[in-house]
Amino acid sequence: MNKVAGALWVVVWLVLVSCSGKTKPTANQPQFEKPLPTGNTANLTGQQLAQGYCGSCHLFPDPNLLDKQTWKNGVLPNMALRLGLDLNGANPYAGMHFEEIPTVNQANVFANKPLISQVDWEKIVSYYDAAAPEKPLPPAATPAVKASLPLFTPKPFYFKHRKLPLTTLTKFDAAGGRLFLGDQENNLFILGKELKQIDSLRLESPAADIYINPDGSFKVLTLGVLQPSDRNKGSLTQYARNPDGTYTAQPLLQALNRPVEASYTDLNQDGLTDIVVCNYGNHTGKLVWFLNKGNNHYEEKILTKVPGSRNVVIKDFNRDGRPDIMLLAAQASESISLFFNQGKGNFEEKQVLRFPPVYGSSYLEVADFNHDGHPDILYTNGDNADYSVSLKRYHGIRIFLNDGRNNFKESWFYPLYGASKAIARDFDQDGDLDIAAIAFFPDFQQQPLNGFTYLENKGNLQFAAATFPQAVAGHWLTLEAGDLDQDGDQDLYLGSFIAAPALVPAEIRQKWFSDGPNMMVLLNKLKNKNNTQTQNRKQ
């Protein structure tokens, strides 16, 4: 078959799969955490059925988490497809790239025959329709947010030749005094102390993460596919700069499933640095570690097959001398788990926190907020781009305190629509941890400045919230802290990504496209009182 004919056949096949409700790949039954209801279910109520079926895969979602229309038109139809129901010929594989379908099919995401009767399903739908609120419930009252940041000076960053703000990565290199900025167009820019561009590379796909080697070379993790996907196109490549200014690229890992983070440590304590990769994927995904076999050869070890592996913290949580792994899983069965290192490459998993599947878990850090010597959890949830796009009162920032035995209890919550990342640093150097946070899905209609929030620690888990007037100038996707100007305090770097789904007023979006910065730098004035607001348009 010639290339033209072959390409035409692929297009025709994709159209058939995408448009026909009858053309579906064969699938086995999905895997469930708990058994589905069995026997005679005629006497079960809609609530009981929902607890049985919904709770078999993830934490049971209470109806008041979403409004009626979002349940009926967004979440429940997707659940029906996963349970094998045929809703007016809907095809669960519609819209997928043909390379994704075998992966999703093999993972048993969608049942190939009904796992629930139509009568029981209608009971579940009726239960959510009756119990859910007409409109999203409002959040609890929060203190007013000041539109002033006395500690920071905003400095918008623009490239010399206008580039749309499509930033996917901001990464600070403390040892080298560099800031890496990646974008959707597969560019990786390297900036120096004065935010001057000192180098650039062209990558195979958008950068998701970077690791700086002691010798100044660096490893770049690329997504493969930026949009939600189960195509195994991600990779990890090491770059070393040659004397003539070119770079030598050494591929290390290939065929990764939309990886979003890579971490490095010697897990099995053999003297070689291993790699932990969060394969976020979409319907599928997994957390894996790669055993370093020497000479840039690695062997994959699967820790858990869970979609939405967002990020990890590697730390000796149980103080036995071995590095453990804490994982935030952000899709479907949203949770935080600890993988305790048992030695010799073996791990034991303990799920320490679990969240409803509509929470939108987005980021995890650990820090000791109460100074008791035990790592606490700083967690954000605010992902709002799937089946339940609405303002959610439970979106925000949480601190879970550690009881000393790696049991965690929520001790502080700050409501923030669309919260996507929070980091803890002592920005004002007063001896306690402050918080800087971004929200990719804030309420742009009523609270347009809440894309960034600074929370100054006042003691006893009390924080004063503030933002800045220029916070609406970008759509902040990335957040990084570091002292690029080397004045002894921590600055902040906010990367803007404007080509993404969000409920944004037309005038704000137009401003982003016409004059939005690629990055906003918040210069910490603690050690340099002379920092003034300037615009850098000549990079």
Side-chain angles (χ1 to χ4, degrees), residues 466-483:
T467 183
F468 62 107
Q470 301 94 322
V472 73
H475 197 195
W476 313 121
L477 178 65
T478 69
L479 173 65
E480 177 74 332
D483 186 15

Side-chain angles (χ1 to χ4, degrees), residues 33-64:
E33 296 179 3
K34 298 178 181 178
L36 293 174
T38 58
N40 186 1
T41 59
N43 294 326
L44 296 180
T45 65
Q47 180 177 2
Q48 291 170 327
L49 289 166
Q51 290 171 338
Y53 281 96
C54 302
S56 65
C57 290
H58 47 66
L59 194 64
F60 168 71
D62 193 279
N64 68 16

Side-chain angles (χ1 to χ4, degrees), residues 439-455:
F440 198 64
F441 299 97
D443 182 358
F444 282 108
Q445 295 283 355
Q446 302 297 325
Q447 301 167 326
L449 301 185
N450 282 8
F452 173 83
T453 302
Y454 174 67
L455 295 155

Side-chain angles (χ1 to χ4, degrees), residues 313-315 317 326 364-369 375-378 408 424 433:
V313 174
I314 300 178
K315 187 179 181 66
F317 284 90
M326 177 177 282
L364 161 79
E365 267 201 2
V366 300
D368 186 6
F369 280 94
D376 308 309
I377 293 175
L378 177 64
F408 297 87
L433 291 171

